[in-house]
Amino acid sequence: MPYLWFKAFHITGMVVWFAGLFYLVRLFVYHAEANEQPEPARGILQQQYQIMEKRLYRLITTPGMVLTVVMAIAMLITAPDLLKQPWLHVKLGLVALLMVYHHLCGTWMKQLAKGEFKFTGQQFRWLNEVPTVLLVVIVMLAIFKNNFPTSAAAWAIFGLIVAMAAIIQLYARKRRLDREKLAASTEATPEASAT
Ligand code: HEM
């Protein structure tokens, strides 16, 4: 019975962790794009994003990670034989990558707070796909375990997910370019925009 409690909170923690990671990097997108705004909008927006990012990272994302890992350790103490399972070894490798990404998010957050813009909004959008891929593969490992599907149909489903993510990115890029074009044409003909 305790095992099921640990598993329930393991999944709860993982949902909180991922919600935090996805929203955090989306805030980085807005934060980086705010840098292209004129003052005073730029300063006001960036200060607001900085506060939101810090709270999200400290109060949601990191506690989500801690809950996931603590509950996983509790499950492994209750059922130590799981440690012999090959699927779990692969999963642990991917979780290690996820933790590196989590740590990098903390580094990017500090850089943005200092006004260092190492990535554009578009680059942050692409980076936000890293946890998407890790999420799909880790959940599949947890569900299929040692029978991880490798058939053509499974690869087709995976390809579809990747294609959908790419389409969303390209659509966001198109909308941004359209916005920039509109802003440039409004600046070029101010009298036209006044009418
Ligand atoms: C330290 C990292 C982690 C460890 C050691 C770990 C370990 C485990 C273990 C032992 C189980 C129970 C499997 C079973 O009852 O058959 C489990 C279940 C599960 N884990 Fe993790 N996990 C970790 C991180 C994660 C992460 C990051 C995710 C999500 C991306 C995740 C998603 C799941 C899911 C969805 C289940 C339920 C699977 C089921 O009941 O069929 N885990 N995990």
Side-chain angles (χ1 to χ4, degrees):
M1 202 56 180
Y3 182 85
L4 293 181
W5 279 98
F6 297 145
K7 186 146 82 171
F9 285 100
H10 176 63
I11 293 172
T12 307
M14 154 243 168
V15 171
V16 173
W17 187 10
F18 273 89
L21 284 176
F22 286 134
Y23 189 33
L24 187 65
V25 179
R26 177 111 303 248
L27 286 175
F28 293 166
V29 171
Y30 299 142
H31 197 146
E33 285 177 354
N35 203 35
E36 292 154 21
Q37 298 285 326
E39 288 293 1
R42 180 171 55 206
I44 296 167
L45 286 170
Q46 288 187 338
Q47 200 186 7
Q48 185 60 34
Y49 289 134
Q50 196 180 318
I51 295 168
M52 290 167 77
E53 287 158 7
K54 208 165 145 188
R55 288 193 185 152
L56 181 65
Y57 191 70
R58 294 202 177 150
L59 303 177
I60 307 274
T61 319
T62 301
M65 175 181 72
V66 171
L67 183 64
T68 309
V69 174
V70 169
M71 290 298 113
I73 293 170
M75 276 193 286
L76 294 176
I77 291 171
T78 322
D81 274 359
L82 278 165
L83 276 170
K84 294 180 195 147
Q85 297 288 325
W87 69 270
L88 189 63
H89 302 159
V90 180
K91 182 176 163 176
L92 283 175
L94 295 174
V95 174
L97 286 181
L98 189 65
M99 285 175 167
V100 170
Y101 179 81
H102 180 106
H103 176 74
L104 286 173
C105 282
T107 308
W108 297 330
M109 185 177 71
K110 284 181 198 145
Q111 287 172 348
L112 287 168
K114 281 194 250 161
E116 291 170 17
F117 293 87
K118 303 231 163 137
F119 296 103
T120 62
Q122 187 59 35
Q123 286 167 332
F124 275 125
R125 278 197 177 88
W126 282 106
L127 282 169
N128 216 2
E129 299 303 343
V130 172
T132 312
V133 175
L134 288 174
L135 173 67
V136 173
V137 183
I138 294 173
V139 169
M140 283 180 69
L141 276 167
I143 301 295
F144 290 99
K145 300 193 166 58
N146 293 330
N147 300 312
F148 194 87
T150 49
S151 65
W155 282 110
I157 292 169
F158 191 69
L160 202 70
I161 294 168
V162 172
M164 273 166 62
I167 289 168
I168 292 169
Q169 293 294 339
L170 293 173
Y171 179 64
R173 185 165 181 269
K174 185 188 169 302
R175 277 184 34 194
R176 186 173 52 83
L177 290 177
D178 287 350
R179 259 202 319 272
E180 282 172 9
K181 231 188 271 171
L182 185 72
S185 69
T186 314
E187 267 171 38
T189 54
E191 66 287 354
S193 63
T195 53

